[in-house]
Amino acid sequence: MLAGMSEPTSSPGHNRLGSESSPYLRQHAGNPVHWWPWCDEAFAEARRRDVPVLLSIGYSTCHWCHVMAHESFEDEGTAAQMNEGFVNIKVDREERPDVDSIYMAATQAMTGQGGWPMTVFLNHDRQPFHAGTYYPPREGLGLPSFRRMLAAVSDAWEHRRADLDANAQALTAHIQALSRSGAPEQAQDWPAGFLKRPLDVLPQLFDPQAGGFGGAPKFPSPTTLDFLLKSGDRQGQAMALHTLRQMGRGGIHDQLGGGFHRYSVDAAWLVPHFEKMLYDNAQLTRTLLAAFQVSGDTEFADMARGTLGYLEREMRHPAGGFFSAQDADTQGVEGLTSTWTPAELEAVLGQEDADWVGAHYGVTEQGNFEDPHRRDAGRRTVLSQTGPLTPEQRQRLPELRARLLAARAQRPQPHRDDKVLTSWNGLVLAALADAGRILGAAGEGEHWLDLARQNAAWVRAVLRQPDGTLWHSWLDGQPPRVEGLLEDHALYGLGLVALYQASGELEYLDWARELWHIVQRDFWDEEAGLFHSSGGRAETLLTRQSSAFDAAVISDNAAAALLGLWMNRYFSDEAGERLARRTVTSHLTELAQAPHGMGGLWQAAAMLEAPHTELAIIGTQQERAPLEQVAAEFLLPYVALAPADAPQGLPVLEDREGGGTAYLCVNHACQLPARDPQTLREQLAALG
């Protein structure tokens, strides 16, 4: 069955979400609202009844989505008004990012801002004519009540339909125009000093005390940090390192269980919004490993290990896939599982240890956090590193932290969204591969590589279609339903490149090449000079969107451009470089205006300008190990690493001796073969 279709039902008067594959939709299966999933039948029903469509978009770990659900969608009176005046559609923005992106563009155009829950009113042609985000049950926050909004839309639909249709057509034309923006192929020249633009702008936004960019709320922005670390610019790298250190010591970092929460509600990384997203933790793992390579500071390696440990422990399906997210709330109270009181510390550790552990993590009777919606839960403390430790305390802390984590595991746990998204698994695949390569000298690399291989085998078995295209999502017990998007093919392809670089197993690079060919065939728009987010087999929506700005995840156009560049580096694929360059030049204006929001495309631009550099290391795994450990000491972001057992399979490997030999080549000029670690170390250091 095509994406966007569902089985027809005989009666319009009931909730249809119980059999859906999205945990978010299933959360709403018990609402008195007669929800439909996104499907053709819902719009046909709206046309039959001559009522507008109310489209509600959110995701399962969204705090304010839960709030609006409790206040409005579970309320019988509100549900009756919705059922009487509308056909109501629920969409999981993670399961259908293509639908979400279109109506988010409409919401931003109408209101100047976006977010979830998103509430959009549509006509029968799926065109939006009014939109907003959260609506309260009573007047407040400068917003009308939800029921007042429903009444106003119903009245306008009945008495001013022509005005609504005109508004819908104009807004649809605006969205379609945005998706067609691009640059002609001949526009290849970049302004002088183009790559210095973010390095000039970002220091002006930088918070020199707490790190990060801008004020509260403060987001991790891993693609921006990645660009700074890879830039080679000392000031830029210092900003990134300071930000990561401050994040690691703050409450946004789970001090007991590892991993990072979604964002900080303050500017100091102290109090987080407590949901944990797979994409944040996967991307930040790679950023932390890069910070370790740049600085040599083991604090970053330890944070990366802790984050991967969290993902393995709490977010991994036994077969190899990784789940999507964990909720901010536990039993309706935000942060309840993760926060502490002095009495709770003492109950686990005893008074003497609880006193100094509490001092180190800032646990006080006054606390530093209170859920504004559940003040009856009292004030509690988000753990952050606030005080120094003696050498003896530092030695004992891991054991005591483990005891606190074990006690925390006995508490009620936040909801976990158990769907598996291919694109986000690509991010995890890359993180595991990087950990396997960079932490290999510490004796743990093979464990992370094994998890990466298991993920790749599982995705190939479950989410790869017979023609090589990928599905977008999967939930245990449900067949995949949504066709893979650009983000799925590009991000999983990048993960496979990283796994090849770590393992030397050419099958992964060959699979990445297969995905790149699909990206070219199904998503590239030659006229516009960019990649579309959905392919030709996907459901026909108002338009085919194109994303260049990094949201929480690197943009799909940036991911596709980077994948194309890796294909050029490994296979001399001229199309890979040409399409990447056109993608960057299609967004020169946005890159100059908003460098903080486009770290992914800035990385693609930097790779386009970087020398073509390859490092082949040939020999048995045992013979390669000393040389690979040296390579892992250096951040080599745009170097085509090519480990191999034998001199065959890639152009960079052909006609070369093995036996544990490294070949470093820059712009097709090669250094003398390096057969000992020190010689290779000197060659890599000379790259600058």
Side-chain angles (χ1 to χ4, degrees):
M1 185 176 296
L2 292 175
M5 300 292 289
S6 71
E7 295 293 342
T9 52
S10 58
S11 169
H14 66 273
N15 187 312
R16 293 163 175 75
L17 302 184
S19 62
E20 286 299 303
S21 61
S22 160
Y24 173 63
L25 268 56
R26 291 185 175 191
Q27 285 177 349
H28 292 271
N31 293 166
V33 178
H34 296 163
W35 291 116
W36 292 72
W38 178 270
C39 59
D40 293 341
E41 291 83 3
F43 287 93
E45 177 66 11
R47 189 181 297 276
R48 185 188 70 80
R49 291 175 52 198
D50 194 25
V51 295
V53 168
L54 188 160
L55 174 63
S56 176
I57 302 180
Y59 57 104
S60 74
T61 60
C62 165
H63 175 73
W64 285 97
C65 299
H66 298 332
V67 172
M68 190 168 177
H70 295 323
E71 292 173 341
S72 296
F73 303 149
E74 296 173 6
D75 178 72
E76 294 285 350
T78 304
Q81 187 176 356
M82 293 172 67
N83 297 336
E84 176 68 23
F86 304 87
V87 166
N88 304 287
I89 297 178
K90 257 291 175 198
V91 165
D92 180 346
R93 66 109 173 173
E94 296 169 355
E95 186 178 56
R96 292 302 305 267
D98 51 342
V99 174
D100 174 68
S101 65
I102 287 175
Y103 295 105
M104 179 60 73
T107 301
Q108 291 171 330
M110 280 188 268
T111 68
Q113 61 185 13
W116 302 275
M118 181 162 53
T119 308
V120 190
F121 297 93
L122 314 179
N123 64 20
H124 302 151
D125 295 322
R126 312 188 187 205
Q127 298 173 327
F129 59 81
H130 189 73
T133 53
Y134 165 79
Y135 287 102
R138 291 168 290 280
E139 311 292 317
L141 304 176
L143 296 170
S145 72
F146 186 48
R147 296 192 66 172
R148 177 182 166 191
M149 175 57 63
L150 296 176
V153 170
S154 292
D155 181 74
W157 181 266
E158 183 175 354
H159 299 106
R160 298 186 301 281
R161 181 83 63 88
D163 293 340
L164 296 185
D165 285 340
N167 187 37
Q169 291 167 12
L171 190 58
T172 299
H174 171 72
I175 297 169
Q176 291 172 338
L178 289 177
S179 70
R180 290 193 295 267
S181 62
E185 185 165 9
Q186 63 267 25
Q188 298 287 334
D189 294 333
W190 297 351
F194 175 65
L195 286 177
K196 289 189 175 182
R197 173 67 177 170
L199 299 173
D200 292 336
V201 172
L202 290 171
Q204 301 172 33
L205 305 174
F206 183 64
D207 180 344
Q209 182 174 354
F213 303 93
K218 191 172 280 185
F219 290 80
S221 304
T223 56
T224 298
L225 298 177
D226 286 340
F227 171 76
L228 291 173
L229 290 169
K230 296 173 180 178
S231 69
D233 179 81
R234 290 189 177 182
Q235 182 186 17
Q237 290 179 334
M239 289 191 297
L241 295 174
H242 180 65
T243 297
L244 291 166
R245 285 192 179 98
Q246 295 302 105
M247 285 174 53
R249 296 166 188 177
I252 191 173
H253 181 212
D254 184 343
Q255 300 293 330
L256 299 182
F260 290 81
H261 299 289
R262 181 68 193 92
Y263 61 85
S264 174
V265 302
D266 52 58
W269 307 112
L270 176 59
V271 176
H273 180 50
F274 284 89
E275 65 184 319
K276 278 184 172 181
M277 310 302 295
L278 182 65
Y279 54 73
D280 281 324
N281 287 286
Q283 291 179 113
L284 283 170
T285 296
R286 298 194 84 186
T287 306
L288 289 164
L289 291 169
F292 171 56
Q293 290 177 304
V294 167
S295 67
D297 188 339
T298 58
E299 180 180 5
F300 299 120
D302 289 341
M303 281 192 278
R305 289 185 182 97
T307 303
L308 288 174
Y310 154 70
L311 292 177
E312 181 182 7
R313 184 181 66 248
E314 299 189 38
M315 298 294 284
R316 183 176 181 270
H317 187 282
F322 285 82
F323 303 126
S324 295
Q326 284 179 318
D327 210 329
D329 301 354
T330 303
Q331 297 180 335
V333 180
E334 185 171 7
L336 183 64
T337 299
S338 301
T339 52
W340 293 81
T341 66
E344 290 170 343
L345 286 185
E346 184 176 346
V348 177
L349 303 179
Q351 182 175 351
E352 182 178 351
D353 285 332
D355 285 346
W356 68 263
V357 171
H360 175 63
Y361 285 128
V363 181
T364 65
E365 293 290 351
Q366 295 75 30
N368 57 24
F369 173 74
E370 180 180 60
D371 185 342
H373 301 286
R374 289 290 304 273
R375 297 187 185 279
D376 58 305
R379 293 189 63 82
R380 303 174 62 80
T381 297
V382 182
L383 302 188
S384 63
Q385 298 178 34
T386 62
L389 296 172
T390 67
E392 181 185 359
Q393 289 172 340
R394 187 171 298 280
Q395 188 175 7
R396 291 201 64 220
L397 185 61
E399 178 222 335
L400 300 181
R401 195 167 55 210
R403 286 166 58 186
L404 291 172
L405 181 62
R408 195 178 81 176
Q410 300 305 310
R411 297 175 175 177
Q413 299 296 303
H415 159 76
R416 182 179 66 192
D417 187 322
D418 286 346
K419 71 174 176 294
V420 175
L421 297 174
T422 305
S423 54
W424 298 1
N425 271 251
L427 296 171
V428 179
L429 180 67
L432 290 167
D434 277 7
R437 181 173 61 84
I438 295 167
L439 302 178
E444 62 189 282
E446 198 58 34
H447 173 69
W448 303 123
L449 279 181
D450 281 345
L451 292 184
R453 292 185 183 102
Q454 290 171 33
N455 180 266
W458 182 85
V459 168
R460 179 180 282 277
V462 175
L463 289 168
R464 182 181 180 274
Q465 300 186 54
D467 67 350
T469 58
L470 300 174
W471 293 106
H472 173 65
S473 64
W474 174 89
L475 185 73
D476 206 352
Q478 296 280 338
R481 303 183 184 184
V482 181
E483 290 286 346
L485 305 167
L486 173 61
E487 65 179 58
D488 300 303
H489 295 84
L491 287 174
Y492 210 80
L494 289 175
L496 291 166
V497 170
L499 183 51
Y500 164 70
Q501 293 174 339
S503 69
E505 295 161 18
L506 197 57
E507 63 180 285
Y508 299 119
L509 193 60
D510 288 337
W511 187 8
R513 191 183 193 185
E514 174 187 288
L515 294 179
W516 165 243
H517 290 155
I518 293 170
V519 165
Q520 289 179 268
R521 183 193 71 200
D522 293 352
F523 301 96
W524 176 249
D525 185 329
E526 182 67 26
E527 181 179 356
L530 45 74
F531 295 94
H532 288 297
S533 298
S534 58
R537 294 197 329 198
E539 177 189 0
T540 301
L541 300 171
L542 291 181
T543 188
R544 294 177 71 192
Q545 289 285 89
S546 176
S547 169
F549 286 93
D550 300 329
V553 176
I554 183 173
S555 75
D556 51 15
N557 264 255
L562 288 167
L563 181 60
L565 287 170
W566 284 120
M567 296 303 101
N568 173 261
R569 299 302 190 263
Y570 283 111
F571 297 106
S572 300
D573 185 330
E574 294 182 4
E577 181 154 339
R578 184 181 74 83
L579 269 55
R581 188 171 294 278
R582 284 206 66 197
T583 302
V584 172
T585 55
S586 292
H587 299 94
L588 288 181
T589 300
E590 298 98 315
L591 282 163
Q593 292 176 346
H596 181 222
M598 304 187 76
L601 268 188
W602 278 113
Q603 290 175 60
M607 190 169 179
L608 279 163
E609 293 299 290
H612 284 223
T613 306
E614 301 94 20
L615 175 60
I617 304 177
I618 307 174
T620 66
Q621 189 172 23
Q622 185 176 3
E623 291 170 336
R624 298 195 317 259
L627 298 171
E628 290 178 336
Q629 289 173 13
V630 169
E633 296 172 9
F634 294 84
L635 179 59
L636 306 169
Y638 309 125
V639 175
L641 301 174
D645 293 333
Q648 57 189 14
L650 289 174
V652 71
L653 300 173
E654 299 293 344
D655 301 321
R656 287 179 165 159
E657 294 181 2
T661 308
Y663 301 86
L664 179 64
C665 303
V666 181
N667 289 335
H668 311 295
C670 297
Q671 304 276 337
L672 290 173
R675 294 182 173 84
D676 65 274
Q678 186 56 34
T679 300
L680 179 59
R681 185 176 286 110
E682 292 170 358
Q683 291 179 353
L684 293 175
L687 289 176

